[in-house]
Amino acid sequence: MANTKFKDTDMQAIIGWVLRAGVFVSMLVVFIGGVIYLSRHSSEHIDYHEFKGVPDFVHTLPGIFHGILDGRGRAIIQAGIILLIATPVLRIIFSAIGFMIEKDYLYVGITLLVLLIIISAMLTGHGG
Amino acid sequence: MSVLVLTLIILVGSYFAGLLGSLTGLGGGVVIIPLLTIGLGVNIHYAIGASLVSVIATSSGSAAAYVKEGITNMRIGMFLEIATTTGALIGAMLSLLIHAPVIAVIFGVILIFSAIMSLRKKDTTVLQTESHWAQKLKLNGSYPTADGEVVKYGIRNVGGGFVMMLFAGIISGLLGIGSGSLKVVAMDSIMRVPFKVSTTTSNFMIGVTAAASAVVYLQRGYIDPALAMPVVIGVLLGALTGSKILVNSNSSGWLRWVFAVIVTILAGQMIYNGLSGKI
């Protein structure tokens, strides 16, 4: 670890940047979607007392994609939220690369294990 | 209630939740969920989804700053994330089996615990000895103080901390909160990580734990964009304001008391509503 040029401090700087950029970009997308959504639906009445799940165009990835193409506010917000959820996951991937450059293989393994747990959450979520 | 009115109420409420959360070190989620469920009659599943998303936003936002300053111990964070993400996955699964009133009661109990934790006196002695596992996992570290000194510290009871983190993860997945107070217990009291390091590392970990359960909730349709939008924006702006205030003042003692009292009242209401079947 001491012999390499790449150090923990470099990794800290990069990860700090990833987190900041992720939050900024996703908030911008959520805000744009929010403005569009409110400009169309602001006077409608809404009730969240009963749990019904969310409509299809903000639930499935193809639905969100088509929703964005149609300029639907809630689909854009949901895309921003997905970016936000992806930010910490992206942070893990960058840590794995960082530990790899440091040749700290124990921590490459630990980082990949965490990533594997999150991926299994993605895969089992539907059936769960 | 019209969409515009609901959005504005949630935005303002979330702003104050984020502000108080960052000033006291408790997450905003503990205020958001009671506000949405008790205050606005939102189903607890939607409330959990929205709160979880706001937790990711504030955690990533504040972790960015701490990581750069070199206070966060990334190895401790990474290692313990094995426990918290596994727990979060179990918790998100459990939330399907457990009825809403029971979730409300558990939430109330955790709220009261968080309030007590925020008032607790901090032990500032730094451990110098190193345990076998801490050495093997390279968990011992150092952090810079305000005067530019570097403090070295050792870690103990890695196994105990790991088990506590598993529990923190389950609660986080089940309730849609960061469960930062439980994470700090695991690192602070069990592993004896110095307070400054444990709070910032907990913050760093919360985003990943919450992301693990958020992917499950997203697929189940718990995350409603129209509700999540004012919550994330409000909480993040509130947290930003809070961190600015915090830099300029040191006297957050009375604020902790105010927050602890608010949280305890909310907890009582959640427990009462859960037991009387109103949620």
Side-chain angles (χ1 to χ4, degrees):
Chain A
M1 187 163 87
N3 298 328
T4 47
K5 277 187 193 157
F6 187 85
K7 291 203 188 75
D8 272 13
T9 44
D10 300 316
M11 194 151 113
Q12 282 159 353
I14 294 170
I15 287 175
W17 183 85
V18 168
L19 292 172
R20 204 179 294 262
V23 172
F24 179 76
V25 171
S26 50
M27 281 302 129
L28 193 67
V29 176
V30 167
F31 182 76
I32 293 169
V35 170
I36 296 173
Y37 169 67
L38 285 181
S39 71
R40 293 214 185 126
H41 300 275
S42 65
S43 55
E44 281 170 26
H45 282 255
I46 199 158
D47 181 23
Y48 286 103
H49 195 66
E50 198 103 18
F51 180 72
K52 296 181 283 259
V54 294
D56 257 3
F57 77 98
V58 292
H59 198 170
T60 60
L61 276 181
I64 294 172
F65 186 69
H66 286 120
I68 295 169
L69 293 184
D70 294 341
R72 301 185 75 158
R74 271 172 294 175
I76 297 171
I77 296 172
Q78 202 73 333
I81 288 169
I82 291 172
L83 285 177
L84 188 67
I85 297 173
T87 301
V89 183
L90 207 63
R91 189 268 277 170
I92 299 176
I93 295 171
F94 272 84
S95 318
I97 298 170
F99 286 127
M100 195 103 80
I101 300 172
E102 283 188 7
K103 296 193 169 56
D104 188 343
Y105 297 115
L106 172 66
Y107 272 86
V108 174
I110 288 174
T111 309
L112 291 179
L113 182 59
V114 173
L115 201 59
L116 199 72
I117 295 166
I118 291 184
I119 291 170
S120 61
M122 282 180 201
L123 297 179
T124 55
H126 260 303
Chain B
M1 202 178 285
S2 81
V3 169
L4 187 66
V5 173
L6 187 71
T7 305
L8 287 177
I9 293 175
I10 297 176
L11 191 69
V12 173
S14 303
Y15 178 82
F16 284 106
L19 183 68
L20 279 172
S22 79
L23 286 178
T24 55
L26 289 170
V30 296
V31 177
I32 296 292
I33 293 182
L35 168 78
L36 290 179
T37 53
I38 300 170
L40 298 166
V42 172
N43 186 284
I44 196 163
H45 291 308
Y46 288 126
I48 288 173
S51 158
L52 202 57
V53 176
S54 78
V55 165
I56 300 175
T58 44
S59 151
S60 297
S62 54
Y66 296 135
V67 169
K68 268 189 168 168
E69 286 168 36
I71 303 168
T72 310
N73 187 323
M74 286 200 293
R75 283 189 171 79
I76 293 184
M78 216 58 238
F79 171 67
L80 292 176
E81 272 165 13
I82 298 174
T84 57
T85 48
T86 307
L89 191 54
I90 297 170
M93 301 269 175
L94 280 179
S95 74
L96 271 189
L97 305 172
I98 298 175
H99 293 292
V102 182
I103 294 183
V105 173
I106 299 176
F107 189 84
V109 173
I110 296 290
L111 277 188
I112 292 173
F113 176 76
S114 303
I116 296 169
M117 284 298 297
S118 74
L119 295 175
R120 184 188 59 124
K121 282 239 181 340
K122 274 100 203 169
D123 185 1
T124 50
T125 51
V126 173
L127 201 68
Q128 296 297 348
T129 52
E130 311 183 334
S131 77
H132 173 70
W133 276 101
Q135 228 160 6
K136 222 170 189 173
L137 289 162
K138 292 176 259 184
L139 297 180
N140 306 304
S142 59
Y143 68 92
T145 63
D147 337 311
E149 277 178 82
V150 174
V151 181
K152 284 193 167 188
Y153 56 88
I155 304 296
R156 68 164 193 202
N157 201 351
V158 176
F162 193 84
V163 172
M164 186 67 198
M165 281 295 176
L166 195 64
F167 178 66
I170 292 175
I171 294 297
S172 168
L174 188 64
L175 304 180
I177 55 174
S179 61
S181 55
L182 293 173
K183 289 191 170 78
V184 171
V185 170
M187 284 189 273
D188 228 48
S189 314
I190 301 178
M191 297 170 70
R192 294 296 301 275
V193 180
F195 182 69
K196 211 174 164 187
V197 180
S198 65
T199 35
T200 55
T201 306
S202 146
N203 223 311
F204 177 71
M205 296 173 61
I206 283 169
V208 172
T209 317
S213 34
V215 287
V216 178
Y217 285 164
L218 194 68
Q219 292 176 4
R220 277 191 210 149
Y222 280 33
I223 299 175
D224 188 280
L227 275 178
M229 179 259 297
V231 172
V232 276
I233 293 177
V235 166
L236 197 67
L237 291 180
L240 279 176
T241 315
S243 62
K244 292 243 162 67
I245 296 175
L246 207 59
V247 173
N248 299 319
S249 81
N250 284 320
S251 56
S252 62
W254 65 274
L255 231 154
R256 282 176 192 280
W257 276 100
V258 172
F259 197 52
V261 170
I262 295 173
V263 166
T264 308
I265 293 169
L266 291 175
Q269 283 209 297
M270 288 293 280
I271 293 173
Y272 173 76
N273 285 351
L275 291 177
S276 60
K278 281 187 192 153
I279 280 183

